[in-house]
Amino acid sequence: MTRQDAEIRLVLADDEGLLREALSSLLDLEHDMSVVGSARTGAEAVAVVAEHEPDLVVLDLEMPEMDGIEAAKAILSTRSVPIVIVTRHARPATLRRALQAGVRGFVPKATPAAQFLKILRDVHGGARYVDPEIAASALVEDPCPLSQRELELLALARPGTPVSEIAERTSLSEGTVRNYLSSATIKLNARTRHEAAHLAWSEGWI
């Protein structure tokens, strides 16, 4: 089989250049895989997928502009393509968000190369893969105490976005935004909304 005839055409997205290039080199060594595009951010990944129409997409969870889950949602809103998310910080709540978004694989970056390649082939073939340890943790994890609106606003507040900008982006009043953020802060026993946002992120809720 020639490189042009490779069965699995992939797009990779990871903001760490060294890891992205290493993974690309690994995949290009496989006789049935070909990396047709790569990206540094989630937004770039969406554009690269639209340009190359790959057979499989591999997204890092944590990227600038748009994380892997948000990028997956954007990609899947316009095309049906299997997506695998790789992450260094695997949290059960993040797994649930990924599965709700339609992601077909959720893999820790510590996964051995041979196993990772098998996972990609299996997912391309129609299977799903979830790391067993993360899946087991998800079964016993405490439920999130926050509402969907509180989570949405904490996600916007996490980078330090001013209340006025959050209000404009969500079409809410500044007072309403403050009330939601205050409620979330109290529920999480945090001192500030920024601490609450970090706690929600660390749990994988946002």
Side-chain angles (χ1 to χ4, degrees):
M1 180 182 297
T2 66
R3 176 61 63 195
Q4 289 75 19
D5 295 329
E7 295 177 356
I8 307 175
R9 301 169 63 256
L10 297 103
V11 162
L12 306 177
D14 194 311
D15 63 324
E16 298 182 59
L18 185 61
L19 289 177
R20 185 176 66 249
E21 292 170 12
L23 182 56
S24 180
S25 296
L26 170 69
L27 296 175
D28 272 333
L29 288 174
E30 299 301 302
H31 72 279
D32 60 343
M33 296 183 181
S34 176
V35 177
V36 296
S38 64
R40 185 186 62 84
T41 70
E44 286 179 8
V46 175
V48 172
V49 169
E51 177 183 356
H52 293 283
E53 299 185 350
D55 305 309
L56 182 66
V57 180
V58 179
L59 302 174
D60 184 23
L61 176 62
E62 297 176 25
M63 293 185 288
E65 298 177 14
M66 183 185 291
D67 70 16
I69 295 176
E70 292 304 313
K73 289 179 182 178
I75 291 168
L76 293 172
S77 70
T78 60
R79 68 191 69 250
S80 178
V81 58
I83 296 176
V84 173
I85 283 189
V86 295
T87 177
R88 183 175 284 112
H89 305 290
R91 298 178 294 273
T94 307
L95 166 62
R96 286 200 295 272
R97 289 174 53 224
L99 295 179
Q100 290 168 357
V103 169
R104 298 188 64 86
F106 195 84
V107 187
K109 285 188 175 179
T111 302
Q115 181 183 357
F116 181 63
L117 292 170
K118 182 180 185 305
I119 291 168
L120 294 185
R121 292 186 175 101
D122 289 348
V123 169
H124 174 257
R128 295 181 184 273
Y129 179 86
V130 174
D131 178 76
E133 291 187 14
I134 304 173
S137 298
L139 295 175
V140 298
E141 185 190 46
D142 292 333
C144 174
L146 305 179
S147 69
Q148 191 59 44
R149 178 65 88 177
E150 288 167 341
L151 290 171
E152 176 191 1
L153 297 181
L154 281 180
L156 292 172
R158 183 170 171 255
T161 308
V163 168
S164 58
E165 183 177 336
I166 295 174
E168 182 179 352
R169 290 169 64 176
T170 57
S171 299
L172 298 172
S173 70
E174 293 186 26
T176 299
V177 170
R178 288 194 180 92
N179 287 340
Y180 275 118
L181 292 175
S182 177
S183 173
T185 300
I186 292 170
K187 288 180 181 179
L188 296 180
N189 294 316
R191 292 170 296 179
T192 67
R193 65 173 179 266
H194 301 298
E195 181 180 323
H198 178 74
L199 287 171
W201 173 84
S202 67
E203 290 292 338
W205 297 330
I206 61 175

